Amino acid sequence: MPAKKKTAKKAARKSNAKRVRKSSQRSLAFRVAFAPFLAIGKVTAKWPTIVRWPARIALGSLWIGFFIFCAVVIFYGARAHSSKYDPDKITQMPARSIVYAQDGVTEIGKLHGDNRLMVSIDEVSPWFKKALIAREDARFYDHGAIDIRSLGRAVFRNVTQKKMEGASTLTMQLVDNSYAYNGKSIDGKLLEMAIAFRIEANYKKDQILEHYMNRIFWGHSIRGIEAAARTYFEKPASELTLSESALLAGIIRGPNTFSPFVDLQKAIDQRDTTLKRMVHYKFITEAEAEDAKNEKVKIRPVSRRITHDSYAMDAIRRDLDIILEEQEIEMGGLHIKTTINPELQKAAELAIEARLKEAEKDPSYHHQTRAQYLSRYAKTQQAPKYIQGALVCLDNRTGAVLALVGGRNADESKYNRALHGKRQIGSVFKPFVYMTAFDKGLHPGAWVRDSRIQPGEIQGAPRSWSPNNSDGTYKTLMMVQEALARSRNTSSVRIGDYCGIDQVIETARSVGFTGKIPPSPATYLGTFEASPWEVAKAYTVFPNQGKVVRPFIISEIKDSEGNVVYPGSGTISWSAAKQGAATSVSNTLQEVTSRGTASRLRSALDYKEVCGGKTGTTDNYRDAWFAGYTSSLTCAVWVGMDDNTKTINRGYGSTLALPIWAKVMKKAKDLGYPAESLKPNIPMQSVRLCRFTSQLATQGCEAHHSAYNAAIPVDLIPKHTCDNHPVRAQIIQESAVPAPPSRAVPVQEGQRPSRAIPVR
């Protein structure tokens, strides 16, 4: 046989075999697919015709339904096991972080997360558990993920009575509240059931109930039973009565509609319906239900339904945004311990309001008053234009912020002046100029000229620049400490010129002033801007004898399980000046409060404790400052208008800011913050110095009547004798030697504002 024919026959055989295999496979698949129908046909083959075909149709339909059911179970079971529907997600509920005062017990606010407070099932009243189950899922403990009986009844009524009736179990409702999907569609309902089965497989019934109670929405942004109990009834969930429990369970289906804050009678009607169901399911007796109905509903009064903001909370939020990760902020549930003393905070707020309300009555006050704002403009959400104040109070030892006020009312103005209010600080800055000079070798008992500044005298100043003294008077020579105590401008400029502008700016940076500081002689008089926060921080250098402490407001953060997630940064301090230099300034600032520009503190304000401080008033009475300290606390106060206009006539720091400081410090003493001696712990040594050079006095100094005895810190003792009056100096005529200035009498701040420069 030819090779061609053999090949063709072989190929034909292979093709026939392939067709046979395919036909066999199709036949097998057909027999498998239709085996149930073939079996039904075989079983019913000998049945009477009148029975056979209805039976075949019914049994075939059952098989098709079973097949579809299995396919649906597999399909939705697979979807439900996606990581998108992780069962652990029902435990992940954003909750409010609670902010506590320094005692860790007093609550001062809530922030972040949802308005929810997490509780365990054991921390919820048994009455509420029964009321919830009776109202939402009476057979909760008897069925699985779905309630077949309720589902069948709902389907029947929906079909026969065209009445929409739900059949969701508590587990299904928990799914609906925990995951994102379209729960209104058939696809969504089937997926909900599948996820519910997965939840039931992973959690016990009590755990499911606990997570559900913590997730429920109760209207007005309230989530969870604990937040609902505290918001509506001002009590924890563990103390809810039967009547209150039934009311809360009753309003779940329409929380905004049935809210007792919206319509109390509707809420009571829902309570009575819930009580009826509880009696029906034998959770309570008829007598208990009647007693509950007769109980008067006591909800939170209207006056306590508004949560007021505060400037302290604003500062806390600012720090939390730096400390926490985004996930921690979103989930909340943290316990945040702060440094705020709530009683001192309240005293500071009241002191500012009282003094500024009084200032608004001054005949020279030509601005909006707070009363006018509240009556005419508050509802328009316009920014207030009345006089404002700010305060920051720190613990000298640690830097803890004990009180922070950024304005008169945080609900009316969100602008936090304590943190962000950059205002010209004026004479409040002068102590740092003098501290720089003491660091360089000047001494408080030295003489400085107080006459008018002459053209070309001050390095870097325009020839025409000649700042005035606030009282319009000028002296020949004055002791350095007296110049600071009386806040003399011309003397202070000369002190600054002795140091040099670069050195003064370096000191300002070292004590914590971070803003722009012009390299101009006017800086010696505080013509740059800073916030009360910066001023308070800088002034800690004086009671701490050369060290500055960094302010902080958050001392510890714990998560919902009590684990410390932020232990606090603790005290951070740094050396900003020689101990002796800071001590010398501090000694003079104590004189300021007894016979200087803040002497009203002792007389009119009746504050007798040991303290130091400095007033500050900028041109045209735009800013009034007082920064002061005791052995325990440092406090900076600012008063002014947001638009930087004049406050009142003679609106000095001593008249506007000082009274606020005095009230706060009196309260601080009552709260246990002592105002003890500010005696330095550095050794002091008595030496004889020259008032002209601050160097060791020589016979020449004695001859010129410039020698004097001074007790000074050991780190400031000069190493050289006076080079202006060497030992062989010739005695000059006594009439040519200026007499030492007499001790100044107590003075008030200046009698008229400066016109030549913007600060006094």
Side-chain angles (χ1 to χ4, degrees):
M1 185 180 291
K4 251 186 197 185
K5 287 186 178 182
K6 286 184 179 180
T7 302
K9 284 185 177 182
K10 190 174 181 181
R13 284 197 298 271
K14 285 183 178 180
S15 178
N16 288 335
K18 190 174 182 179
R19 283 197 299 273
V20 169
R21 283 197 299 273
K22 286 184 177 179
S23 176
S24 175
Q25 289 171 355
R26 285 196 297 268
S27 176
L28 179 61
F30 178 82
R31 287 196 299 273
V32 170
F34 287 91
F37 299 102
L38 295 174
I40 292 170
K42 189 174 181 180
V43 169
T44 60
K46 296 181 180 181
W47 292 8
T49 303
I50 195 170
V51 177
R52 183 192 315 138
W53 287 106
R56 286 179 175 179
I57 292 171
L59 292 172
S61 299
L62 286 173
W63 166 248
I64 293 172
F66 177 74
F67 182 81
I68 294 173
F69 174 77
C70 291
V72 168
V73 169
I74 293 171
F75 175 73
Y76 284 98
R79 284 180 64 187
H81 277 75
S82 164
S83 60
K84 183 179 178 181
Y85 306 111
D86 186 346
D88 288 342
K89 191 171 182 179
I90 68 171
T91 68
Q92 300 169 4
M93 289 172 269
R96 284 291 173 89
S97 292
I98 304 176
V99 181
Y100 296 96
Q102 62 180 197
D103 58 10
V105 176
T106 305
E107 183 181 317
I108 61 175
K110 299 184 182 73
L111 43 76
H112 299 156
D114 291 336
N115 185 10
R116 174 190 288 114
L117 299 170
M118 302 292 289
V119 289
S120 69
I121 194 170
D122 296 329
E123 296 174 291
V124 179
S125 168
W127 291 124
F128 179 76
K129 300 174 197 174
K130 293 177 181 179
L132 177 63
I133 292 172
R135 189 65 192 254
E136 296 296 320
D137 189 356
R139 299 181 60 251
F140 174 69
Y141 284 102
D142 299 326
H143 60 67
I146 61 175
D147 186 351
I148 300 298
R149 185 191 303 176
S150 297
L151 181 62
R153 182 175 62 250
V155 171
F156 177 77
R157 289 184 178 177
N158 290 340
V159 172
T160 61
Q161 302 177 17
K162 295 184 179 181
K163 178 182 178 181
M164 295 302 295
E165 181 176 312
S168 293
T169 63
L170 282 179
T171 308
M172 292 168 65
Q173 291 181 48
L174 177 60
V175 172
D176 184 49
N177 285 316
S178 304
Y179 303 96
Y181 62 93
N182 183 8
K184 301 296 182 182
S185 65
I186 294 176
D187 173 73
K189 275 296 176 187
L190 291 173
L191 178 60
E192 182 181 282
M193 291 179 185
I195 299 171
F197 274 105
R198 193 178 182 194
I199 299 298
E200 290 269 351
N202 283 272
Y203 294 96
K204 296 178 181 179
K205 285 289 188 179
D206 279 351
Q207 291 176 310
I208 293 171
L209 186 61
E210 177 182 303
H211 297 320
Y212 180 77
M213 289 190 296
N214 279 317
R215 274 193 179 271
I216 303 174
F217 175 63
W218 260 287
H220 310 287
S221 79
I222 306 164
R223 295 187 181 276
I225 179 59
E226 184 71 11
R230 291 181 181 274
T231 301
Y232 287 125
F233 299 114
E234 299 186 294
K235 61 171 63 175
S238 61
E239 297 178 10
L240 289 172
T241 64
L242 172 57
S243 174
E244 293 163 345
S245 297
L247 188 148
L248 289 180
I251 68 175
I252 291 174
R253 296 188 179 188
N256 288 321
T257 301
F258 301 134
S259 164
F261 288 171
V262 176
D263 192 323
L264 181 57
Q265 187 55 52
K266 285 184 178 180
I268 291 174
D269 292 342
Q270 293 299 314
R271 177 202 66 181
D272 294 346
T273 300
T274 303
L275 290 170
K276 184 177 179 180
R277 289 178 65 87
M278 293 178 76
V279 171
H280 175 75
Y281 290 111
K282 298 184 176 6
F283 290 144
I284 60 174
T285 65
E286 286 279 4
E288 288 173 324
E290 286 303 315
D291 289 342
K293 288 178 182 179
N294 293 329
E295 180 182 307
K296 184 179 180 181
V297 179
K298 299 177 182 178
I299 61 172
R300 179 188 291 266
V302 176
S303 61
R304 293 201 293 270
R305 293 178 193 174
I306 299 175
T307 301
H308 296 283
D309 204 354
S310 77
Y311 294 107
M313 286 295 293
D314 174 65
I316 292 165
R317 289 189 198 97
R318 181 198 66 164
D319 280 11
L320 287 174
D321 288 342
I322 298 171
I323 294 169
L324 298 175
E325 299 290 338
E326 184 177 346
Q327 173 69 11
E328 292 173 318
I329 292 175
E330 180 182 342
M331 292 306 295
L334 303 173
H335 295 256
I336 302 162
K337 183 180 177 182
T338 70
T339 60
I340 294 294
N341 182 306
E343 293 183 72
L344 193 62
Q345 175 73 23
K346 187 66 176 177
E349 292 169 355
L350 292 175
I352 287 178
E353 178 59 27
R355 181 65 191 95
L356 300 191
K357 189 175 181 179
E358 185 181 340
E360 290 174 339
K361 299 176 183 177
D362 190 284
S364 63
Y365 181 79
H366 302 302
H367 306 280
Q368 178 190 76
T369 66
R370 186 167 177 235
Q372 290 171 339
Y373 171 80
L374 292 174
S375 63
R376 301 177 190 176
Y377 306 104
K379 293 182 180 179
T380 66
Q381 296 185 335
Q382 294 180 14
K385 298 178 181 179
Y386 49 70
I387 189 170
Q388 293 284 359
L391 175 150
V392 177
C393 185
L394 308 177
D395 185 303
N396 291 336
R397 185 177 57 85
T398 64
V401 179
L402 302 178
L404 184 148
V405 184
R408 292 173 72 177
N409 189 286
D411 292 329
E412 296 162 20
S413 171
K414 302 298 182 186
Y415 182 51
N416 195 332
R417 297 157 190 82
L419 299 178
H420 311 300
K422 299 284 189 176
R423 299 298 290 255
Q424 197 173 97
I425 61 175
S427 295
V428 164
F429 182 65
K430 287 177 182 175
F432 302 101
V433 177
Y434 284 75
M435 186 172 71
T436 308
F438 295 158
D439 242 345
K440 192 175 179 181
L442 193 65
H443 287 282
W447 282 338
V448 60
R449 280 185 292 136
D450 188 55
S451 57
R452 279 191 173 277
I453 302 295
Q454 300 301 311
E457 178 185 352
I458 304 301
Q459 185 177 358
R463 289 187 60 83
S464 60
W465 187 65
S466 182
N468 297 328
N469 285 327
S470 60
D471 63 358
T473 66
Y474 301 89
K475 311 296 180 183
T476 50
L477 292 178
M478 178 179 285
M479 282 193 292
V480 169
Q481 62 188 17
E482 199 68 32
L484 176 56
R486 299 180 65 181
S487 199
R488 307 295 286 179
N489 284 339
T490 54
S491 298
S492 298
V493 168
R494 290 184 173 100
I495 296 292
D497 190 52
Y498 165 80
C499 304
I501 189 62
D502 292 340
Q503 286 295 110
V504 170
I505 292 177
E506 184 179 337
T507 297
R509 296 298 185 203
S510 69
V511 297
F513 291 110
T514 59
K516 182 180 179 181
I517 304 178
S520 159
T523 292
Y524 303 144
L525 303 176
T527 57
F528 65 92
E529 296 178 339
S531 66
W533 177 277
E534 289 179 297
V535 172
K537 174 175 64 175
Y539 262 71
T540 62
V541 75
F542 302 123
N544 289 328
Q545 299 178 41
K547 288 188 176 181
V548 175
V549 289
R550 186 211 62 168
F552 69 97
I553 200 167
I554 296 174
S555 56
E556 185 181 69
I557 302 175
K558 292 182 179 179
D559 62 20
S560 57
E561 297 178 356
N563 301 312
V564 176
V565 297
Y566 175 72
S569 59
T571 301
I572 297 176
S573 64
W574 60 92
S575 179
K578 289 179 183 177
Q579 187 176 359
T583 296
S584 296
V585 174
S586 180
N587 291 339
T588 303
L589 294 182
Q590 292 175 60
E591 293 291 309
V592 171
T593 64
S594 60
R595 58 184 184 85
T597 57
S599 59
R600 289 188 70 243
L601 190 64
R602 308 302 188 186
S603 54
L605 301 175
D606 195 34
Y607 186 80
K608 306 300 183 184
E609 310 304 323
V610 179
C611 64
K614 184 72 184 71
T615 56
T617 309
T618 60
D619 185 40
N620 201 28
Y621 308 113
R622 293 173 179 169
D623 302 278
W625 290 86
F626 183 75
Y629 53 89
T630 64
S631 59
S632 300
L633 307 178
T634 295
C635 181
V637 180
W638 166 86
V639 172
M641 303 297 300
D642 284 340
D643 60 3
N644 202 27
T645 55
K646 177 182 176 180
T647 54
I648 59 174
N649 289 340
R650 300 180 63 80
Y652 296 112
S654 61
T655 57
L656 288 177
L658 187 61
I660 297 171
W661 189 93
K663 279 190 177 181
V664 172
M665 285 303 175
K666 286 178 182 179
K667 182 64 176 179
K669 185 186 178 186
D670 294 340
L671 293 174
Y673 296 98
E676 299 170 343
S677 171
L678 287 166
K679 184 179 180 181
N681 57 19
I682 184 174
M684 307 290 285
Q685 185 172 325
S686 181
V687 293
R688 195 155 178 82
L689 302 173
C690 177
R691 291 193 188 276
F692 285 108
T693 63
S694 287
Q695 294 173 327
L696 295 173
T698 65
Q699 291 298 323
C701 301
E702 300 288 349
H704 282 80
H705 303 288
S706 63
Y708 72 103
N709 291 324
I712 62 175
V714 293
D715 63 347
L716 295 185
I717 295 176
K719 296 180 173 57
H720 304 286
T721 56
C722 178
D723 49 19
N724 275 14
H725 307 115
V727 175
R728 294 184 180 180
Q730 298 294 317
I731 297 177
I732 61 175
Q733 291 184 0
E734 207 164 302
S735 59
V737 180
S742 60
R743 185 176 178 84
V745 297
V747 297
Q748 303 297 323
E749 266 190 286
Q751 298 176 351
R752 61 186 181 187
S754 169
R755 295 182 181 178
I757 57 172
V759 297
R760 57 167 297 281

